[in-house]
Amino acid sequence: MSTTEAARVASVARHDRRVRLWSIAGVLALATGVAASSLGAVLTEGAWWFPLMAVVVAVLASGAAFRSVNSRAWLGSVVAAAGGLVSLVLMFAPQTAILGIIPTADTVSRFGQLVTQGQASIAVQSFPADAFVGIVFLICLGAAAVAVAMDVAAFVLQKPALTAIPLTILLLVPSFVRTELHDAFVFAATAIAYVAVLLVASPQKSTRSAWPLISAALVLSLIVPVVLPSVEPAEQLGSGQGLISTGVNPIINLSTDLRRGVPLRALTYASESGGEYLRVAALDVFSEDTWEPSQNEPTAAGSVTEFPIAPGLSDEVPREEKVLQVEIDRIRGKLLPVPYATANISGLEGDWSWEPDGLTVSTDDSNSRGQNYEVAFVSPAPSVEQLEAAPTTLPDSFERYLELPETLPSIVTETAHAVAGGETTRFDQALALQSFFADGDFTYSEDAPVAEEYDGSGAGVLGEFLAAKSGYCVHFASAMAAMARSLEIPSRVVVGFTPGERIADDSDERRFLVSTDNLHAWPELYFPTIGWIRFEPTVSVGSAPRFAQSVEDDPSTPDVDESQPEPVATPTSTSPATPGARPDLPLDEDSSAATPNGVEISPWWWLVLALPVLLLIPALVRVTRRALRLAAVRQGETGAAWREVRDTAIDLGYPVSATATPRQQFEHLTEHLGDSGTSALSSLLGQVEASAFSTRPETVRVGAVTNVLAALRASVGWRGRLRAALAPRTAFSPRDRRG
Amino acid sequence: MDAPTSGSLPDDVFHDHCDAIVRSISTVIDGKTEAVRLALTVLLAEGHLLIEDVPGVGKTMLARALARTVDSTVSRVQFTPDLLPADITGVSVYNQNTREFEFKKGPVFANIVIGDEINRASPKTQSALLECMAESSVTVDGTTYELESPFIVVATQNPIEMEGTYPLPEAQRDRFMARISMGYPDAAAELAMLRSRELTSPLDALTPVVSVSQLRELIATVRRVFVSTAVEEYAVAIAQATRRDREVRVGASPRATLHLVRAAKARAAIDGRDFVLPDDIDALAVTVLAHRMIPARHTGDTSALLSGHSIADVIERIVAEIPVPVHAAAS
């Protein structure tokens, strides 16, 4: 080889090496960027992604640039980390640094400030949070660390498979913030990017043996979104004011949304009749901690074009038929705000269904955001006489609306009896409870419960609320519902919106704007033959329906009957008094299927579920490798046969050196094999040697290989075989070297 | 490889000849079959053999027996400090009758040259052998004389440093294909030797079992042995590893790799194969490589390293570490 030729070869090799370096760095940056987009679930806008990518690219590019001139791998990672630091300085504190890039003590203190700002910003915001500079800095800092970890895994350790660790950490950040925040799409995209990393960055050119890892990654990416409840990613593009998330149980976020400094526009609706309360969720299970929706499955068969008659509403009760045109603005979730009692909805996108007891509307596969729909509803307008005359016998299935947790403080029951014990009818008792809250010495405060640590809706905090007499809608609604239950009046808590502000008054329609300030919770009480009636115990918020207002306190209110239009009989005049009587609406159907309001799985459960899968990966890799080798044997590659025999022997615990010659390995193994095994192995050895080292074309039958493998397995006990199957030593041994 | 197209022997004939040579030599060297086989391997691979061991274990006996079993020209040179290069290569003398300088061939002009105690000669004389061993030719007074084929040097030397010895230069050590040592015989073999040597020298009873032409045919057969790409890669990987090893200052030369593969071919042929196995390489690595390598930080005794490992240990470790490529032959 002449000198010039040698120089040319060396230069080509150098060029190849650089191309490989940069393509690995590129694919690592891609994977990090894709995984980082999972943060979209906790942040409102998409703009933070660009500085993040700038840092990631800075890290990986500095590492690659250094390595293309210097082959010391670990030093490359140091340079990569330095590159990340420089990019952070450039973006966040250029004025404190010498020449804009060399950090000084000022830079450090500026970074400290940014971290504090970021932490504070996270603490005060609800999720999805707005990405202020402090948060972006924290994200970029984290991204730099992840990128350096990727760089070390791929270049220093030469194990691109290990990049799964930083990528997984990045993916799981949203679930540590809040358990339900996962996005199946980001998982799948990250899995694909990871596969790309494996394909590009694997130390050897052969991609065949990367397939076991690839299949494992894809299997995991398919399992994870199934195991985790999926939630739509926050839509990052918009006016940047955040979203109202109805989440799994809207009462959980309610207080956070109420405390928003700047109210968010939730929806607008047009109504000919006036403002309406809009219901999002009906919570009927009362526990120590909170009110929750019961686990009834929404009736999927019931399309939203036809709702059942409101539970308990009898023909005698007058009612009004009304229509609302609703445009949802910034509410994100699986639940739809509708008035009570909805008769039909049109104009929705996606599959929506109603829940027969609460008449709430939900979806599995769609989203409330941006929906524009018309909802027709029947507003019951019973007379006070009808309400007072309501019978006291309850349908059997209504016992659950009377259940109280055992830990309910006795003050709740005592107060209920003290306030309403003297009233004769259930309705009068309810009115007494309402005025006890609304007209007594209770004050409205969103902050007092937080300051005094009795925030929440569960039984545990009611005693403190009744003593402090200060709280917000959740407390009032919860307390009144609990007290009603103690008086044998079925009750539930409803979360939704008060009617909102009127914004336009066209000739033929009145338009209302509903914002986060209108988020509200109120109790609904049930009266046989009348149905569920809304009450309004919260001080200075909203108003009870006229028929549910106490006449004593509001003598100016005209009689209910007179204020209402002529009652309109519903077409289905034979409607039963209880929902349970409708055979097509099974109320207590025992179904454990997850509903949108269903199971929450914490990351720890995820780990528990993923662990068996992770533990099976070595076995999976080994089995795949065996299958690939046997396939190679079929195509005439006899070396694969011997590699499989060798690895099987090593898996079974035989002290066979992977670097020994086939004949030396054979001599090791024959000591342990029986006669038939030895002869099978011996003939395989002959074929392998002849095929690999002589000019004679020898082919090996797959059957001959499997015979030898069987003989090897038979030579050890079942424990050895089990260990070889579940924890194969050669699962992650170096790749097969191929000619 | 460099396989000639003619002169190959049928398998059984080759085998018979090899058996005859081994049996013949074994009558004078008791219980040293492995050393005898190695010597034969080197002979058939057309390499030069260095036999190194303590005095009195039969080095010269092996060399002479090897030479005697082949019906060829044999010369023996006893190396001494005052031996001159011309004593090996030959001299030009003035012939008064023809009034011309006439070249008087030295002992090197033979098929098998036995160099006894080769490390006793001065470096100058030792280097005279260099050209002969590498080029199979001798240059005296500007004239080059080709040596007869086959040309094989079998040299013996004592490992113990003694007064008046000159260590063999690296360049010359590299020209020997293999270095073997005899080792002491076991008790039974030593006893048998005592009885058989009492009356006559057994060497006298040795008669040639193969002719020079037959030897050439044997060598040609060895040359036709197939070496797969996998085995070539394996040999190269071992050689490369010796150059990178921390315990080694000078690793195996490219000539060493060549010798290793050639010796492996001979070993394969003696084993009755027409292709080389990685096992041949493994078996010959120490014999072929050890004498050319120089350990790092050696203590004076070149075979022992500070770590207590000998060069042979290092080679064995390297051989065990290098994975054996098992993939289909290039054909």
Side-chain angles (χ1 to χ4, degrees):
Chain A
M1 191 185 288
S2 70
T3 328
T4 51
E5 196 183 348
R8 193 181 56 79
V9 168
S11 126
V12 166
R14 248 194 329 272
H15 177 254
D16 283 355
R17 202 174 140 260
R18 279 182 193 161
V19 167
R20 199 175 123 75
L21 261 174
W22 283 99
S23 36
I24 293 175
V27 80
L28 290 180
L30 176 82
T32 316
V34 170
S37 64
S38 69
L39 294 174
V42 286
L43 294 167
T44 50
E45 286 180 70
W48 52 266
W49 190 82
F50 297 98
L52 176 144
M53 264 330 269
V55 174
V56 169
V57 168
V59 169
L60 293 167
S62 348
F66 178 80
R67 288 195 187 92
S68 58
V69 294
N70 186 314
S71 61
R72 262 173 296 179
W74 62 271
L75 209 53
S77 288
V78 173
V79 171
L85 181 65
V86 166
S87 70
L88 285 172
V89 172
L90 260 177
M91 281 193 289
F92 292 96
Q95 67 282 6
T96 64
I98 301 165
L99 299 174
I101 53 167
I102 300 164
T104 60
D106 286 349
T107 318
V108 175
S109 68
R110 169 74 182 141
F111 280 4
Q113 281 171 8
L114 283 168
V115 169
T116 320
Q117 273 179 27
Q119 285 167 342
S121 191
I122 290 170
V124 300
Q125 292 196 73
S126 66
F127 288 97
D130 293 330
F132 295 121
V133 64
I135 294 187
V136 175
F137 177 73
L138 285 178
I139 290 173
C140 290
L141 201 62
V146 166
V148 171
M150 303 272 289
D151 184 275
V152 170
F155 292 112
V156 181
L157 306 177
Q158 300 269 317
K159 289 200 169 26
L162 288 183
T163 56
I165 297 170
L167 286 180
T168 311
I169 292 173
L170 200 49
L171 275 179
L172 289 183
V173 165
S175 32
F176 290 126
V177 172
R178 223 163 62 190
T179 52
E180 77 268 20
L181 293 175
H182 291 287
D183 184 359
F185 175 74
V186 174
F187 264 98
T190 309
I192 292 168
Y194 177 60
V195 168
V197 170
L198 290 183
L199 288 179
V200 174
S202 300
Q204 271 148 51
K205 293 239 163 69
S206 158
T207 55
R208 252 203 200 174
S209 41
W211 285 112
L213 267 173
I214 290 167
S215 48
L218 286 177
V219 165
L220 267 182
S221 80
L222 290 178
I223 291 174
V224 168
V226 174
V227 171
L228 300 170
S230 76
V231 162
E232 298 284 312
E235 283 138 272
Q236 295 119 359
L237 305 172
S239 56
Q241 293 186 31
L243 287 164
I244 308 162
S245 169
T246 53
V248 171
N249 183 353
I251 207 165
I252 294 167
N253 296 338
L254 196 148
S255 62
T256 330
D257 280 329
L258 275 178
R259 281 191 288 269
R260 270 177 193 270
V262 182
L264 283 184
R265 184 185 169 109
L267 57 89
T268 62
Y269 64 90
S271 158
E272 291 175 14
S273 49
E276 295 291 343
Y277 274 66
L278 297 172
R279 299 160 83 252
V280 172
L283 317 173
D284 49 19
V285 179
F286 183 33
S287 69
E288 164 77 15
D289 301 320
T290 188
W291 287 81
E292 290 172 296
S294 56
Q295 302 285 314
N296 283 331
E297 190 171 4
T299 312
S303 122
V304 289
T305 54
E306 188 178 359
F307 278 63
I309 296 298
L313 185 62
S314 69
D315 292 349
E316 288 75 34
V317 178
R319 62 204 68 190
E320 291 174 78
E321 289 188 347
K322 304 180 189 175
V323 174
L324 292 187
Q325 297 277 352
V326 185
E327 279 178 40
I328 306 273
D329 192 348
R330 301 185 72 81
I331 307 175
R332 172 169 62 88
K334 304 286 184 193
L335 297 163
L336 197 70
V338 287
Y340 193 77
T342 305
N344 73 70
I345 306 175
S346 55
L348 281 177
E349 283 172 20
D351 287 336
W352 294 81
S353 50
W354 39 260
E355 192 271 319
D357 287 347
L359 291 187
T360 53
V361 180
S362 62
T363 182
D364 278 331
D365 59 358
S366 185
N367 196 308
S368 58
R369 180 137 196 235
Q371 296 280 1
N372 192 344
Y373 54 96
E374 181 176 293
V375 48
F377 63 104
V378 175
S379 177
S383 68
V384 173
E385 287 74 23
Q386 281 175 322
L387 286 163
E388 287 182 334
T392 52
T393 41
L394 295 171
D396 289 343
S397 58
F398 271 56
E399 273 172 21
R400 62 193 177 98
Y401 293 115
L402 295 176
E403 278 172 14
L404 290 168
E406 286 175 5
T407 53
L408 185 72
S410 57
I411 184 177
V412 177
T413 327
E414 286 159 12
T415 313
H417 283 97
V419 169
E423 305 293 337
T424 49
T425 67
R426 293 270 156 89
F427 179 63
D428 289 338
Q429 288 178 329
L431 284 182
L433 289 178
Q434 177 176 261
S435 57
F436 167 70
F437 290 108
D439 308 322
D441 42 9
F442 281 81
T443 55
Y444 183 87
S445 167
E446 287 168 9
D447 306 318
V450 181
E452 305 291 326
E453 293 183 348
Y454 62 91
D455 199 9
S457 63
V461 301
L462 286 185
E464 281 148 306
F465 166 67
L466 288 177
K469 293 190 186 325
S470 181
Y472 56 94
C473 58
V474 169
H475 301 92
F476 287 100
S478 171
M480 177 159 170
M483 287 160 84
R485 284 190 177 191
S486 74
L487 296 168
E488 305 274 297
I489 308 174
S491 67
R492 64 192 182 194
V493 170
V494 172
V495 177
F497 295 93
T498 56
E501 255 177 80
R502 200 159 147 192
I503 49 170
D505 194 358
D506 295 347
S507 54
D508 56 347
E509 72 163 26
R510 290 187 260 184
R511 186 156 277 277
F512 291 82
L513 165 68
V514 176
S515 73
T516 41
D517 283 351
N518 297 105
L519 270 169
H520 192 44
W522 62 86
E524 282 184 349
L525 272 52
Y526 182 84
F527 300 95
T529 72
I530 311 286
W532 291 97
I533 299 295
R534 172 172 64 82
F535 284 82
E536 187 50 273
T538 308
V539 178
S540 71
V541 173
S543 61
R546 284 182 202 162
F547 51 81
Q549 288 169 356
S550 33
V551 278
E552 298 86 0
D553 290 347
D554 194 358
S556 65
T557 308
D559 198 348
V560 171
D561 277 342
E562 292 161 19
S563 71
Q564 303 296 335
E566 280 295 304
V568 181
T570 49
T572 50
S573 53
T574 55
S575 76
T578 62
R582 273 188 72 153
D584 56 331
L585 296 178
L587 265 186
D588 299 317
E589 190 182 328
D590 185 17
S591 167
S592 57
T595 69
N597 300 347
V599 279
E600 277 185 65
I601 297 178
S602 78
W604 303 113
W605 278 111
W606 178 81
L607 277 181
V608 168
L609 290 167
L611 203 61
V613 179
L614 290 174
L615 288 178
L616 281 176
I617 285 179
L620 189 72
V621 169
R622 186 67 185 82
V623 166
T624 317
R625 201 179 244 198
R626 173 172 306 140
L628 289 173
R629 281 177 178 159
L630 291 182
V633 170
R634 267 184 211 101
Q635 288 169 10
E637 205 204 310
T638 42
W642 192 261
R643 284 192 290 269
E644 182 53 36
V645 168
R646 176 195 71 196
D647 282 2
T648 302
I650 293 174
D651 287 345
L652 290 168
Y654 288 123
V656 174
S657 160
T659 56
T661 67
R663 190 162 285 217
Q664 289 159 354
Q665 291 161 348
F666 166 78
E667 276 153 16
H668 252 302
L669 291 177
T670 48
E671 295 165 16
H672 305 281
L673 289 178
D675 287 344
S676 65
T678 304
S679 77
L681 189 60
S682 164
S683 84
L684 182 65
L685 174 75
Q687 289 170 331
V688 167
E689 281 188 344
S691 140
F693 307 119
S694 86
T695 48
R696 281 188 298 283
E698 283 273 359
T699 51
V700 175
R701 281 185 309 107
V702 173
V705 182
T706 48
N707 280 348
V708 171
L709 297 182
L712 278 172
R713 283 198 203 94
S715 65
V716 298
W718 65 271
R719 280 194 197 85
R721 287 199 291 274
L722 191 69
R723 196 183 51 220
L726 292 180
R729 296 177 194 189
T730 56
F732 299 106
S733 62
R735 304 257 189 83
D736 291 352
R737 190 167 169 239
R738 291 158 44 75
Chain B
M1 296 271 311
D2 46 356
T5 50
S6 63
S8 174
L9 286 174
D11 280 357
D12 47 346
V13 177
F14 184 90
H15 233 101
D16 290 348
H17 286 327
C18 290
D19 270 1
I21 295 172
V22 172
R23 245 184 291 114
S24 170
I25 300 175
S26 294
T27 58
V28 290
I29 310 286
D30 296 307
K32 289 286 163 208
T33 326
E34 191 50 35
V36 173
R37 281 175 66 91
L38 280 172
L40 176 64
T41 305
V42 176
L43 178 74
L44 297 186
E46 266 189 302
H48 306 296
L49 180 65
L50 182 62
I51 308 172
E52 178 182 289
D53 218 321
V54 289
V57 290
K59 300 185 296 288
T60 313
M61 184 72 93
L62 174 62
R64 289 174 65 193
L66 191 64
R68 193 166 277 221
T69 50
V70 180
D71 186 13
S72 59
T73 51
V74 177
S75 61
R76 182 167 178 275
V77 184
Q78 182 70 43
F79 280 65
T80 53
D82 55 355
L83 193 73
L84 294 173
D87 294 336
I88 293 175
T89 55
V91 287
S92 296
V93 285
Y94 185 69
N95 188 330
Q96 299 245 332
N97 297 335
T98 59
R99 300 192 168 190
E100 274 177 357
F101 277 100
E102 204 170 65
F103 182 61
K104 245 180 118 51
K105 290 180 177 176
V108 83
F109 287 84
N111 291 122
I112 298 178
V113 177
I114 299 171
D116 225 357
E117 305 200 57
I118 189 171
N119 56 341
R120 286 189 174 276
S122 67
K124 190 180 175 190
T125 310
Q126 286 175 355
S127 1
L129 258 182
L130 280 183
E131 188 194 0
C132 314
M133 290 169 70
E135 322 285 338
S136 292
S137 62
V138 176
T139 306
V140 176
D141 294 341
T143 315
T144 299
Y145 304 91
E146 287 297 322
L147 296 178
E148 203 180 338
S149 172
F151 168 69
I152 291 159
V153 174
V154 181
T156 71
Q157 71 169 352
N158 299 331
I160 304 161
E161 298 293 321
M162 293 176 189
E163 273 183 35
T165 62
Y166 305 89
L168 228 45
E170 284 96 343
Q172 190 161 345
R173 285 210 302 270
D174 199 38
R175 281 167 167 80
F176 284 101
M177 175 176 278
R179 179 187 62 185
I180 62 173
S181 57
M182 305 294 294
Y184 292 108
D186 57 19
E190 202 165 348
L191 208 59
M193 182 201 74
L194 277 182
R195 286 172 191 156
S196 62
R197 309 284 160 87
E198 197 55 42
L199 297 173
T200 57
S201 166
L203 212 51
D204 299 337
L206 271 190
T207 51
V209 291
V210 289
S211 65
V212 175
S213 65
Q214 282 170 325
L215 181 59
R216 288 197 194 107
E217 282 170 350
L218 290 174
I219 289 169
T221 306
V222 165
R223 282 188 178 170
R224 293 176 62 88
V225 168
F226 174 75
V227 184
S228 65
T229 323
V231 170
E232 286 172 350
E233 285 170 1
Y234 183 54
V236 169
I238 290 174
Q240 299 253 337
T242 63
R243 295 167 204 159
R244 283 194 305 266
D245 200 273
R246 281 161 183 272
E247 291 191 274
V248 177
R249 181 153 65 83
V250 177
S253 61
R255 195 205 320 263
T257 320
L258 190 66
H259 282 172
L260 183 57
V261 173
R262 273 198 200 157
K265 285 164 84 170
R267 186 176 187 272
I270 294 170
D271 252 15
R273 272 178 283 115
D274 61 357
F275 59 93
V276 176
L277 284 181
D279 301 81
D280 298 321
I281 303 282
D282 274 16
L284 290 166
V286 172
T287 315
V288 174
L289 302 182
H291 62 284
R292 322 161 189 252
M293 287 162 55
I294 300 175
R297 302 181 309 242
H298 65 79
T299 52
D301 177 2
T302 52
S303 63
L305 308 183
L306 277 185
S307 61
H309 293 146
S310 67
I311 276 288
D313 293 336
V314 174
I315 294 172
E316 273 166 11
R317 172 171 58 71
I318 288 171
V319 165
E321 280 171 0
I322 302 287
V324 179
V326 183
H327 52 70
S331 56

